[in-house]
Amino acid sequence: MKNRIGMVVGIVLILLWCLLPVAWIISLSLKSQDSITNGNPGFLPADGTFAGFANYSDVLADDQFRRAIFNSIGISLIATTLSVIIATLAAYAIARLEFKGKKFVLTTALVIAMFPVVSLVGPLFDMWRTLGIYDTWPGLIIPYMSFTLPLAIWTLSAFFREIPWEMEQAAQVDGATSWQAFRKVIVPLAAPGVFTAAILTFFFAWNDFVFGISLTSTEAARPIPAALSFFVGPDPFNRPASLLAAAAVVATVPIIVIVLLFQRKIVAGLTSGAVKG
Amino acid sequence: MSSAAVQTATPTQPTGKASRTKPADSDRSRAENSLGRKLVAPAIVLMLLVTAFPMLRALYLSLFQYSLTAPEERSFVGVDNYVTALTDPLFWQTTANTVGIMVITVAFELVIGFAFAMVMHRVIFARGVIRTSILIPYGIITVVSGFAWQFAFSNTNGFVNSWLPFLGDDFNWFASYESSMIAIMVSEIWKTTPFMSLLLLAGLAQVSEDMIEAAKVDGATWFQRLFKVILPNMRAAIMVAVLFRALDAYRIFDNIFVMTAGANGTSSISFLTYRQVIEQFQLGIGSALSVLLFLSVLVVAFVIVKVFRVDLASARQER
């Protein structure tokens, strides 16, 4: 009985921890501008001011914000696709083949996963300007790919190691061509791992801030986190809190949807990538 | 894409394990070697292109007096930039901030994350709800969580002051160094504890229930079971989690940029470097800071691996 109460308390605490700031920012996004400038230090929107829905229509009507969302979706999706394809090749080789240089690949991936991103923005800033890809989509896609590869390679090679590759031969013995054996046996087994790696990669690209502010200067390529931080409104000393909160909620919705849909896969991928490798 | 790879791989390798245990004939191993290298080549090239090459370039640029506002006046100065950086109190102040943030946040995350992992490990009902919720902080953009906490601590539109009875409603968290640092660390801990707890949960799952039961039968108390059985057996998972989180915390940038922009001396090394390079266009001294940042991350990684004897290979179940 004592255990049961402790468990319930624990669950409540975890849920509060995870959801409190989210509830707070939603509440903030629903407050009217006036109530915030006049000081309204409460958790819930006071005196029924659900007039805050105007914040959402204002944000969605903002061209720069819409452009940033478009940039983020495009850049993250392209980087994710390319990164997962390249990581799949590498992870397949690591899980299934014996070759010299395997250790080098794993070590490089490990070092890059720990790399301080900021120490690269200077040289990249300089190089990208010379190459003419500063402030363009490729200028962000390339660094995103390179920095998501380690996570994708680890997650995928952990998954691939679990695949019973002998089944492929078994299918061939049963009369399947090697292509059929691969497509009917290995692809269905590998697909969940590839998909998980793709989700984690997408998270990384969507969340990046350092590259986003350093390697862009206009709305041509500026992704959503950078756009949020530049969203100062008319008075630079008083950020328009409720508008910003509404924009933040809009930017967070895609992530929450992904989390809700693929919770099981994300947990499996995160833990296998980091702990089981 | 990998279909072609497998077709070429299949004839050369009947069973993956056989070729690993006995030395295969040289033709086969040579073919496997070259295929393996071809498959990892794109990943390696891309990773090195975006890290090793720019890092070497940073090393080169750090030897110059080089400002993008006056590119014509670029001149070789040797190690002057390093001397300037290392003798500047600001550099040491930001290093102290960064190390402080790393140590304090990881310590809190470890304790709270472990408590969460214990609950999640034992929980029977509402499992899906908890696992989904715990991913929300992980998934949220760091900039957004920074804003959420900045507004929460704000004395004009936040709720923290009204929830803490010992503080006046007009207490300004962002007016002093200590309270600003607390606000930054709270946002960091909130955001990353769930990640820590997931890693620890995976470690907990590897501790055998039989051993815990045996200890229970032998009359070990809850604390004895925790410290003598559970924790020693998930050492590897704990160490990997600490290493990952510590290096991640050492790079802290987003929260500081959003919450204080380095005001009241709350800058981190990453933030200082960013300032020099991107805001001030000082590529010379900025590159020197980049190199120092990289070196200090290596030192931190080395110290953690050595001091705590992290065994990455065993943690990743390679052997």
Side-chain angles (χ1 to χ4, degrees):
Chain A
M1 194 59 207
K2 202 175 129 208
N3 265 336
R4 221 186 148 79
I5 293 171
M7 195 55 68
V8 171
V9 171
I11 292 171
V12 171
L13 282 179
I14 294 180
L15 292 181
L16 268 182
W17 177 280
C18 297
L19 301 179
L20 184 82
V22 180
W24 156 244
I25 201 145
I26 293 174
S27 149
L28 192 62
S29 75
L30 292 174
K31 291 175 179 173
S32 71
Q33 277 298 341
D34 285 351
S35 70
I36 285 181
T37 18
N38 298 335
N40 177 16
F43 191 82
L44 295 170
D47 48 35
T49 49
F50 281 90
F53 280 112
N55 295 327
Y56 285 91
S57 56
D58 284 357
V59 162
L60 292 173
D62 185 290
D63 276 341
Q64 294 198 10
F65 182 78
R66 285 202 305 227
R67 176 73 208 185
I69 285 274
F70 175 67
N71 286 339
S72 263
I73 292 175
I75 293 172
S76 305
L77 282 182
I78 296 173
T80 301
T81 311
L82 295 177
S83 167
V84 167
I85 290 173
I86 294 178
T88 304
L89 298 181
Y92 172 83
I94 289 168
R96 184 132 188 239
L97 305 177
E98 275 309 315
F99 62 99
K100 280 185 196 129
K102 193 186 212 168
K103 237 195 160 109
F104 177 71
V105 181
L106 287 169
T107 316
T108 311
L110 188 70
V111 171
I112 289 179
M114 295 167 175
F115 214 88
V117 187
V118 171
S119 61
L120 290 178
V121 300
L124 283 180
F125 176 76
D126 207 28
M127 281 164 58
W128 275 194
R129 281 176 350 129
T130 320
L131 295 173
I133 55 170
Y134 175 71
D135 201 26
T136 64
W137 279 26
L140 285 181
I141 290 171
I142 295 169
Y144 287 179
M145 281 172 71
S146 140
F147 272 84
T148 52
L149 274 174
L151 183 64
I153 290 176
W154 277 338
T155 314
L156 281 170
S157 55
F159 270 102
F160 285 2
R161 219 167 277 161
E162 309 280 309
I163 293 181
W165 296 99
E166 291 78 10
M167 280 172 64
E168 198 183 358
Q169 268 86 45
Q172 284 182 32
V173 169
D174 289 348
T177 64
S178 53
W179 167 243
Q180 281 175 328
F182 177 74
R183 206 177 61 84
K184 298 244 160 96
V185 178
I186 299 302
V187 170
L189 289 173
V194 174
F195 188 70
T196 304
I199 295 175
L200 296 178
T201 304
F202 184 82
F203 270 22
F204 179 97
W206 188 264
N207 189 22
D208 162 75
F209 181 57
V210 175
F211 291 127
I213 49 166
S214 310
L215 302 177
T216 65
S217 58
T218 65
E219 55 188 78
R222 185 173 287 154
I224 191 75
L228 285 176
S229 79
F230 285 115
F231 196 66
V232 282
D235 176 5
F237 295 103
N238 276 310
R239 284 191 176 121
S242 57
L243 271 186
L244 199 50
V249 171
V250 175
T252 308
V253 166
I255 292 296
I256 303 283
V257 170
I258 294 176
V259 164
L260 291 178
L261 291 179
F262 306 118
Q263 165 259 125
R264 223 172 270 274
K265 287 188 185 308
I266 302 170
V267 173
L270 274 180
T271 47
S272 71
V275 181
K276 283 192 239 146
Chain B
M1 250 191 172
S2 41
S3 64
V6 169
Q7 280 176 324
T8 40
T10 323
T12 60
Q13 200 197 352
T15 59
K17 271 177 195 128
S19 69
R20 223 163 285 169
T21 44
K22 70 163 198 259
D25 66 72
S26 63
D27 266 2
R28 179 182 297 164
S29 69
R30 205 175 301 139
E32 201 171 301
N33 233 324
S34 101
L35 177 65
R37 286 181 177 184
K38 274 183 205 137
L39 290 178
V40 296
I44 279 290
V45 168
L46 195 69
M47 288 194 285
L48 293 182
L49 189 78
V50 181
T51 50
F53 182 66
M55 210 58 229
L56 290 174
R57 185 151 167 80
L59 199 59
Y60 170 76
L61 285 178
S62 70
L63 303 175
F64 289 87
Q65 162 84 46
Y66 182 26
S67 163
L68 281 182
T69 51
E72 303 308 314
E73 292 165 27
R74 180 166 127 169
S75 62
F76 183 83
V77 294
V79 295
D80 273 15
N81 285 326
Y82 292 95
V83 174
T84 313
L86 291 173
T87 51
D88 192 325
L90 186 63
F91 176 82
W92 295 108
Q93 156 92 43
T94 57
T95 304
N97 284 346
T98 314
V99 173
I101 290 174
M102 177 182 79
V103 172
I104 295 173
T105 59
V106 173
F108 272 96
E109 284 164 20
L110 198 55
V111 174
I112 303 171
F114 189 76
F116 283 9
M118 292 284 273
V119 172
M120 284 195 286
H121 188 59
R122 295 265 170 249
V123 76
I124 308 144
F125 50 98
R127 205 166 225 185
V129 178
I130 292 181
R131 288 210 164 184
T132 309
S133 320
I134 207 121
L135 283 172
I136 288 177
Y138 173 77
I140 279 182
I141 304 172
T142 317
V143 171
V144 169
S145 90
F147 276 130
W149 284 105
Q150 189 202 15
F151 290 135
F153 280 104
S154 152
N155 59 359
T156 54
N157 46 46
F159 65 88
V160 173
N161 284 352
S162 55
W163 284 18
L164 295 177
F166 51 90
L167 286 175
D169 271 356
D170 56 351
F171 179 77
N172 186 350
W173 285 85
F174 298 104
S176 81
Y177 170 76
E178 289 81 6
S179 53
S180 304
M181 289 294 271
I182 290 174
I184 289 168
M185 287 192 269
V186 166
S187 81
E188 175 80 1
I189 293 170
W190 175 74
K191 165 106 175 105
T192 50
T193 298
F195 177 70
M196 182 72 108
S197 69
L198 284 175
L199 293 187
L200 295 176
L201 181 62
L204 261 183
Q206 289 168 7
V207 178
S208 111
E209 287 291 325
D210 295 350
M211 270 195 305
I212 302 173
E213 274 310 311
K216 210 172 188 173
V217 171
D218 290 346
T221 64
W222 187 83
F223 271 100
Q224 282 169 336
R225 293 201 302 268
L226 179 65
F227 285 99
K228 298 261 154 87
V229 182
I230 299 178
L231 289 179
N233 276 297
M234 52 183 291
R235 216 188 96 92
I238 295 175
M239 287 311 145
V240 170
V242 167
L243 179 68
F244 276 33
R245 275 302 312 137
L247 293 173
D248 209 30
Y250 198 82
R251 300 182 283 204
I252 186 166
F253 178 82
D254 306 17
N255 324 32
I256 293 181
F257 185 101
V258 168
M259 295 177 77
T260 65
N264 303 318
T266 53
S267 182
S268 68
I269 309 186
S270 282
F271 190 74
L272 181 72
T273 311
Y274 166 83
R275 271 248 151 114
Q276 287 301 315
V277 179
I278 303 292
E279 284 182 3
Q280 319 269 345
F281 299 117
Q282 300 296 332
L283 268 188
I285 183 98
S287 296
L289 286 172
S290 300
V291 174
L292 291 173
L293 172 61
F294 177 61
L295 291 179
S296 59
V297 167
L298 285 186
V299 169
V300 170
F302 181 81
V303 166
I304 294 176
V305 169
K306 283 292 161 208
V307 170
F308 297 105
R309 301 196 309 279
V310 181
D311 186 355
L312 281 173
S314 88
R316 291 163 62 218
Q317 296 184 342
E318 275 171 0
R319 239 159 236 281

